[in-house]
Amino acid sequence: MDSSHFKRVMHRAHYMGSNENDILFGGFAERYLATLTPEQLGRFEALLAENDTDLFNWVTGKQDVPPQWDDEVMAMIKSFVQTEAARR
């Protein structure tokens, strides 16, 4: 991934709309973005375009994740939220 693409995705993860998602997704991006495969990065970017409230409810377990988003990237984000983000 080129540095400008990396910066765009990082910025988007930190400025999603709600403060909660900025913290959760921005923290995830800081920790994992550089290690994602190109396919995982594409899935992460696509997720960032989803509704803020839905994303928050999915990653915090308040609602079931729709099948089209229930993949390894979502599992990584949910794990991050449950473990690492809780310590922030």
Side-chain angles (χ1 to χ4, degrees):
M1 160 176 32
D2 68 49
S3 65
S4 63
H5 187 210
F6 182 88
K7 288 177 184 178
R8 277 194 310 276
V9 176
M10 184 67 73
H11 183 270
R12 178 71 179 104
H14 278 284
Y15 297 98
M16 295 184 61
S18 73
N19 190 48
E20 294 85 358
N21 279 359
D22 295 348
I23 292 167
L24 297 177
F25 285 83
F28 175 83
E30 286 176 19
R31 174 76 171 85
Y32 293 104
L33 193 63
T35 66
L36 296 179
T37 67
E39 182 179 291
Q40 291 170 330
L41 175 63
R43 296 289 295 167
F44 183 66
E45 280 187 276
L47 266 176
L48 296 180
E50 288 296 306
N51 177 280
D52 243 26
T53 302
D54 291 339
L55 285 171
F56 181 79
N57 288 337
W58 298 338
V59 301
T60 59
K62 293 181 182 201
Q63 290 180 345
D64 290 339
V65 178
Q68 70 268 28
W69 296 115
D70 198 9
D71 59 18
E72 74 176 300
V73 174
M74 180 58 75
M76 291 170 68
I77 297 168
K78 288 174 77 172
S79 177
F80 173 82
V81 168
Q82 293 170 357
T83 59
E84 298 178 50
R87 291 185 240 148
R88 290 179 164 242

